[in-house]
Amino acid sequence: MALNPEMASAAPVPPRTYVRSAAATRARFLRQKVVPWLFIAPILLVHFIVVIVPSVQSFYYSMTDWSGIGAAEWVGFENFQQMIFDDSSYRSALFNNVKWLLVFLTVPFAMALVAAQLLAPVRKGAMWFRTLLFIPYVLPSVINANIWRNLMSPRLGLGAQVAQWGENTLGTDQLAVFGTAFLGKTETALMSIAFVDNWHFWGFLMVLFLTAMQGISQDLYDAAKIDGANRLNEFIHVTIPGILPTLAFMMMLVAIWSFLVFDYVWILTQGGPANSSEVLGSYLYKQVFNRFEAGYASAIGLSMSMFAGIIIGIFALLRRRGWEI
């Protein structure tokens, strides 16, 4: 006897089918929701211990008067008030970081873009050129800094040797320039450190930009040539738009790094002479290890994080407004 279709649809599902369906649902839930979290749990745990906990502690200690040892005394926003309104050394270090930012958003980017544009069409020996320009970035900062400290020495450095060779042909003013202690003068110390850091850094940017340029379609350049564009027009209207995401991302990173600079400043001058090359990183270090003002140093570190957050926020806002960065 044939069953009515309505009666067949209303027929009860065997219990075994329910069991299999529930087991499949649980297995799918575990596979899609639980297992991925189990894989990333160790990374999250490390991130929590290494990043989140120190960040919360830094925020707390920035509100205290703490030497780094023993109990901390709660002082509220006094550290920030002192930092902004009373500490001229902090303002001077911040100003030096801003000058560093302006230098590194212009000079190394210009050098890297020009070098990448010149190397892009090179095929024979291209890898050798890229390797030679990239080597300074691979060397440790301690080695780079000591090499340039010797080269800039007013007694034994390159300038001193040139002055010695040309003492019979150069004038007094020229000899004085070559014998200048660039790292020992308040007028030149910061820019001399920036020169050394740029020497080691710009090759890294060049390799990144060169890689991005190689991803631009050759058809765009062919179309530009048909329209009568020269190399400069191709660079402005084809190359720059083609590498804009890489260019903007590296500008953001360099801007953040400019507020975190420490190693070259500390190795070459330790912020001297007369605090002329002091930056926030070296000033923070001195507050902790020379003056034992760990609470105040935490406030300085928090301000450095704030500047980095502002830079990230600006780029995020530009992306939301439709900028291709």
Side-chain angles (χ1 to χ4, degrees), residues 77-149:
F77 290 96
E78 288 185 12
N79 287 330
F80 295 96
Q81 181 179 353
Q82 176 185 349
M83 183 177 65
I84 296 173
F85 298 107
D86 303 328
D87 193 348
S88 59
S89 297
Y90 173 82
R91 293 193 295 270
S92 176
L94 176 60
F95 182 64
N96 286 337
N97 275 105
V98 174
K99 289 195 291 186
W100 191 280
L101 169 68
L102 295 177
V103 169
F104 274 82
L105 285 182
T106 53
V107 177
F109 279 86
M111 294 175 61
L113 285 171
V114 172
Q117 179 70 7
L118 294 176
L119 285 176
V122 175
R123 294 293 179 266
K124 187 176 181 180
M127 185 57 66
W128 288 103
F129 287 112
R130 300 174 196 177
T131 303
L132 288 174
L133 295 175
F134 190 74
I135 283 177
Y137 185 77
V138 179
L139 294 177
S141 56
V142 175
I143 295 177
N144 282 331
N146 280 285
I147 289 173
W148 280 101
R149 177 190 286 139

Side-chain angles (χ1 to χ4, degrees), residues 5-194:
E6 296 181 357
M7 295 176 61
S9 62
V13 179
R16 188 173 299 175
T17 304
Y18 277 123
V19 173
R20 286 199 301 268
S21 177
T25 302
R26 286 196 299 270
R28 185 166 57 252
F29 175 80
L30 291 174
R31 186 173 60 254
Q32 297 179 355
K33 303 295 184 181
V34 177
V35 174
W37 283 102
L38 292 177
F39 276 103
I40 66 173
I43 300 174
L44 292 177
L45 180 61
V46 173
H47 182 79
F48 178 79
I49 296 174
V50 175
V51 178
I52 303 299
V53 172
S55 298
V56 174
Q57 289 179 328
S58 178
F59 180 78
Y60 168 74
Y61 285 122
S62 68
M63 303 285 186
T64 65
D65 181 11
W66 186 46
S67 65
I69 303 173
E73 179 184 353
W74 181 266
V75 295
F77 290 96
E78 288 185 12
N79 287 330
F80 295 96
Q81 181 179 353
Q82 176 185 349
M83 183 177 65
I84 296 173
F85 298 107
D86 303 328
D87 193 348
S88 59
S89 297
Y90 173 82
R91 293 193 295 270
S92 176
L94 176 60
F95 182 64
N96 286 337
N97 275 105
V98 174
K99 289 195 291 186
W100 191 280
L101 169 68
L102 295 177
V103 169
F104 274 82
L105 285 182
T106 53
V107 177
F109 279 86
M111 294 175 61
L113 285 171
V114 172
Q117 179 70 7
L118 294 176
L119 285 176
V122 175
R123 294 293 179 266
K124 187 176 181 180
M127 185 57 66
W128 288 103
F129 287 112
R130 300 174 196 177
T131 303
L132 288 174
L133 295 175
F134 190 74
I135 283 177
Y137 185 77
V138 179
L139 294 177
S141 56
V142 175
I143 295 177
N144 282 331
N146 280 285
I147 289 173
W148 280 101
R149 177 190 286 139
N150 293 327
L151 290 175
M152 291 182 175
S153 171
R155 295 186 300 107
L156 304 174
L158 184 61
Q161 296 301 319
V162 173
Q164 183 178 353
W165 295 334
E167 59 183 356
N168 296 325
T169 57
L170 297 175
T172 305
D173 294 338
Q174 294 171 315
L175 289 174
V177 170
F178 283 112
T180 298
F182 293 101
L183 295 173
K185 296 184 65 175
T186 57
E187 299 85 1
T188 59
L190 182 66
M191 290 300 103
S192 298
I193 301 170

Side-chain angles (χ1 to χ4, degrees), residues 266-284:
W266 189 257
I267 295 170
L268 290 172
T269 65
Q270 296 188 9
N275 298 330
S276 60
S277 62
E278 194 83 270
V279 291
L280 292 179
S282 61
Y283 188 57
L284 183 152

